Amino acid sequence: MDLRSRLSALDARVVDAARSAGRDPSELTRIVVTKFHPPELITRLCEYGVHDVGESRQQELTAKRGELAALDGVRWHFIGQVQTKKARAIRAASDCVHSVDRDRLADALHAADPDGARLDVFLQVNLTDDPSRGGAAPGDVAGLAEHVAASCPSLRVRGVMAVAPLGSEPAEAFGRLAGAGALVRRIVPDATWMSAGMSGDFAEAIAAGATHLRIGTAITGPRPARD
Ligand SMILES: *Cc1c(COP(=O)(O)O)cnc(C)c1O
């Protein structure tokens, strides 16, 4: 199958998964994760009507956004782990950041453009037992939401994000993410978004309430090796 066929096949599966879960497919934003692929892939995706793309490394995001500056109507989502010192570059190149997982990163994203247009952010939740993985511990997410709401007025908390842990049941993991989202809404009532679901588990994510799907290989095919 070519790119266009994989995209339409994936979208059909998303519609099916939404209907099976009793949800309206139009509530879902499908982000195509283009990491490690050349910028031309994004140009082609745009020709096929894609509006949302996801990147997981700052340098790659900055380079592609620069190269594709003439491309209209693309929203750039940053979905990777990021060092605080890269926050300025991330803010400059992103329309939405999915991986805010600590106060210092939120502070640095805010300080990068305190009076600029508000940046949509997700608070990333670590659903594994491994504290070195990205994401705030589920018990710390409400505190992070309080911090961003009180101290980072140029950031807008939209919801929560997670990657399902390998080797565990995605439905259970996404249920825990939905629980973290409910806690965040006690602090930011309109933080109704949930970024969850990848090529292998988007149906479970949709059933658990995901609003933003991050789909890579099912659309792009295998990723080229890094660097
Ligand atoms: C790479 C990546 C994805 C996409 O994964 P696929 O399995 O290729 O769909 C989604 N989310 C994050 C955070 C990623 O790094």
Side-chain angles (χ1 to χ4, degrees):
M1 276 208 284
D2 63 6
L3 180 64
R4 182 176 228 152
S5 320
R6 284 192 304 263
L7 178 67
S8 50
L10 184 281
D11 284 346
R13 290 170 64 204
V14 166
V15 168
D16 283 348
R19 298 231 167 96
S20 317
R23 295 188 56 199
D24 178 351
S26 71
E27 296 167 6
L28 304 174
T29 300
R30 177 260 296 120
I31 298 160
V32 184
V33 177
T34 48
K35 63 188 183 196
F36 313 154
H37 288 281
E40 299 75 57
L41 183 87
I42 299 177
T43 307
R44 285 166 62 209
L45 287 165
C46 288
E47 285 165 13
Y48 305 154
V50 167
H51 298 295
D52 292 271
V53 298
E55 288 287 336
S56 63
R57 292 195 301 183
Q58 177 267 317
Q59 280 169 304
E60 191 177 340
L61 169 69
T62 300
K64 286 181 183 171
R65 186 153 194 174
E67 195 160 329
L68 300 175
L71 214 53
D72 281 334
V74 186
R75 276 178 63 83
W76 296 83
H77 297 257
F78 184 75
I79 64 172
Q81 295 318 295
V82 61
Q83 295 170 277
T84 303
K85 65 180 183 192
K86 303 262 182 84
R88 183 168 297 275
I90 292 292
R91 177 124 196 206
S94 307
D95 299 298
C96 181
V97 174
H98 292 233
S99 44
V100 173
D101 61 358
R102 55 195 188 276
D103 292 0
R104 281 187 59 229
L105 176 57
D107 291 340
L109 286 168
H110 170 61
D113 194 6
D115 304 313
R118 282 178 96 195
L119 176 70
D120 287 333
V121 300
F122 289 88
L123 306 182
Q124 185 175 353
V125 184
N126 181 358
L127 298 174
T128 76
D129 299 324
D130 176 357
S132 72
R133 291 306 188 94
D140 294 339
V141 179
L144 177 58
E146 272 170 13
H147 177 81
V148 178
S151 308
C152 305
S154 72
L155 307 186
R156 180 169 181 195
V157 176
R158 291 299 213 148
V160 290
M161 175 274 207
V163 176
L166 274 179
S168 83
E169 182 47 56
E172 181 274 335
F174 294 139
R176 285 191 284 138
L177 179 62
L183 294 179
V184 167
R185 281 192 296 281
R186 290 192 192 167
I187 295 140
V188 184
D190 65 351
T192 53
W193 293 0
M194 177 167 146
S195 168
M198 314 193 342
S199 294
D201 57 19
F202 64 84
E204 289 88 345
I206 290 169
T211 59
H212 290 65
L213 315 173
R214 307 179 312 268
I215 313 285
T217 48
I219 294 171
T220 63
R223 280 184 277 276
R226 296 167 181 246
D227 298 317

